[in-house]
Amino acid sequence: MSTPYPFTALVGQDDLRLGLLLNAVSPAVGGVLVRGEKGTAKSTAVRALAALMPEVAVVAGCRFSCDPAAPDPACPDGPHEEAPGVSRAARTVELPVGASEDRLVGALDIERALSEGVKAFEPGLLADAHRGILYVDEVNLLHDHLVDLLLDAAAMGASYVEREGVSVRHASRFLLVGTMNPEEGELRPQLLDRFGLTVEVAASRDTDLRVEVVRRRLAYDDDPAAFAARWADEEGALRERIVAARALLPHVVLGDGVLRQIAATCAAFEVDGMRADIVMARTATALAAWAGRDEVVADDVRQAALLALPHRRRRNPFDAPGLDEDKLDEALEDAADERGGDDDPDPDGPGGGVPPQGGGPDAGGPEGAGPDTPDAPGQTETGSGDTPAHPPVGGAGERQPVRSGEPFRTKMLSVPGLGEGAAGRRSRARTEHGRTTGSRRPEGALTKLHLAATVQAAAPHQRARGRAGRGLVVRRDDLRQATREGREGNLVLFVVDASGSMAARQRMSAVKGAVMSLLLDAYQRRDKVGLVTFRGRGAEVALPPTSSVDAAAARLESLPTGGRTPLAAGLLKAHDVLRVERLRDPSRRALLVVVTDGRATGGVVPVALAGRAGRLHASEGTASVVVDCESGIVRLGLAAQLARDLGGSAVTLDELRADSIAGLVKDFTAAGRAA
């Protein structure tokens, strides 16, 4: 077994370490979602925490890790009366992004059930993770239905498998840790709410801390065992502190005044439902136990809010995450004033959060490093929504960026035909989940049995198999896989005209508002998005295809305008982007959205060149929509002609609206929560 990196040897990342330790003290907190860039010790910290977890006693031979002191009466491997117990280390189970539903919850052996009459159940990862840690890297890239199953099991403490007439239920309680890079796409608000805590991590910009990270990592890679031995005392002390905090937890008092502060804080930030209040209460209690106190104080509530509310507060899809600490302090002070201010906050705070490096409050690590000083929240140099604007392409008449108009609900745009891409909510596709539309012979392992088709395939052969009138004989060749139809996410590539003909400030504001509306729609439908702009002397890829619509929104807001209209260059640049994306992900179909008035200028016969570029897209079968931004009394209809060249359709800005009620951002927020 490989030697894990010591938890106490981690440099910085105080919020990450605190969130993990609070869940180790009180699994009822509900897990932690770690958001941040790659290379920030997310995976290292999770694996290091497993080594600190106390050993667990399990029933010998039980595949579901039942506790011999209190075995699950409904355990599929039970009953376990007077079963011998053994001790083992707590497991860390990793759920890969490409895992199937059967791998997560377990699978029935359909072939044995049909051919032998045996209801055989093979446990999945939820059973393996019981009483341990379940780690999901890149949880935002996991299919939504898998995340639903995962979080349902975490909330209920049990996994239920109902399929093909067989019902299996087993205990599944674990410390859930998910990590994600926001630039690769966000989780739905409903799923965010199911994580107890969230922390933001970023690489420190402090030179000394970065040097210390490299020094320790190199020392660990050279000799993991020797490096771990140097931190053994600190690891032992931290392990004992976790055990002590667990023992103290049931005795921590959560007073009515503190509960009022929690309720007032959640109300001030307009969080939906009551889960935030409950998580804050559990987190504040765990913070008090971690600090060695038997009573929750105001500072515990403040720290709990910083961990439990950022991902739950009401915000529009493109708003930056985080919590307004001034507003938080005001809410806590108001609640304290209402009850007479009788709480005296602990001057030492909630136990200092995490153990200091090297064991003592002021001690350096074994390499002589001083105490870690992580970056203050919100002081990172990069992050979602902070992408710097691209330098302008160039051209005469350049103007400053125009703010986008108010977004609105857009009509449904989709790719025709039937795809087989990633699960989403835009275009029709063959999917693992959805309504059953037919059957086929299985290719590889059978996952979704079409029972009626299987019986129909087996029925004509019963006489030859010698079992007529004595039951149905089903063989491997008779099995049929159910085919299902659902929705897929697409690549929505925006080609936006930023030229002088589109640059009237009021008009460009409306155009940006329309594109922002389409981005909101793409956010809700789980699409990838890309942004190509053209003006002046040529076109550029303002944003390569990504799952982060936040980044696209930021680039759109900073988009400068002015100059000529190289429409053909914009379409050809889009063609290059789509060609590369087809090689990377052949199953994801593209939707080209061209936002222009169609007035091409610059070069020789610019309108004809634009038409040829459009027909190039049409010849490759690319689905397209032209958003006609032409205004005024005299209209040339060039955008409609471009749509015909592209083989797509054209809609005006007014026609793009889904209904007559426009300009209400809250509509999109509500729709995002309901999606």
Side-chain angles (χ1 to χ4, degrees), residues 291-487:
R293 287 183 274 100
D294 60 3
E295 185 176 2
V296 176
V297 298
D299 278 355
D300 295 329
V301 177
R302 188 181 192 279
Q303 182 66 58
L306 292 173
L307 293 171
L309 295 187
H311 59 304
R312 291 186 170 94
R313 69 176 179 84
R314 285 195 175 184
R315 65 186 183 97
N316 294 324
F318 298 147
D319 289 350
L323 213 61
D324 185 337
E325 296 196 34
D326 291 336
K327 182 178 179 180
L328 172 60
D329 291 334
E330 182 180 347
L332 292 172
E333 290 172 4
D334 290 346
D337 291 342
E338 288 180 6
R339 68 174 195 276
D342 54 353
D343 276 359
D344 182 19
D346 182 2
D348 295 328
V354 295
Q357 307 304 312
D362 300 315
E367 278 84 73
D372 296 334
T373 54
D375 296 334
Q379 298 301 312
T380 58
E381 294 183 8
T382 62
S384 179
D386 295 329
T387 308
H390 273 219
V393 176
E398 181 179 312
R399 302 169 187 174
Q400 292 299 315
V402 179
R403 292 186 61 85
S404 67
E406 290 293 324
F408 50 85
R409 191 187 305 278
T410 67
K411 65 182 295 185
M412 175 68 171
L413 303 178
S414 63
V415 179
L418 192 63
E420 295 182 345
R425 301 184 185 89
R426 183 172 297 278
S427 304
R428 295 174 54 222
R430 298 183 184 90
T431 59
E432 288 294 322
H433 296 269
R435 63 186 182 91
T436 300
T437 58
S439 64
R440 60 175 174 81
R441 290 183 180 272
E443 298 174 0
L446 178 69
T447 56
K448 298 292 183 182
L449 177 72
H450 194 298
L451 186 58
T454 298
V455 172
Q456 289 176 355
H461 308 290
Q462 296 308 297
R463 184 178 298 277
R465 293 172 185 173
R467 292 292 299 274
R470 292 184 296 168
L472 185 69
V473 178
V474 179
R475 294 179 178 172
R476 170 71 185 178
D477 291 343
D478 302 326
L479 299 179
R480 293 295 182 269
Q481 175 89 23
T483 57
R484 300 171 183 256
E485 183 176 310
R487 293 279 174 177

Side-chain angles (χ1 to χ4, degrees), residues 128-164:
D128 293 341
H130 180 45
R131 305 175 67 199
I133 298 174
L134 181 58
Y135 174 48
V136 189
D137 194 14
E138 307 294 353
V139 65
N140 52 324
L141 302 183
L142 203 63
H143 282 218
D144 283 350
H145 74 281
L146 292 182
V147 180
D148 286 329
L149 291 170
L150 179 68
L151 296 179
D152 283 343
M156 296 185 294
S159 174
Y160 296 84
V161 183
E162 304 279 352
R163 59 181 63 176
E164 281 78 46

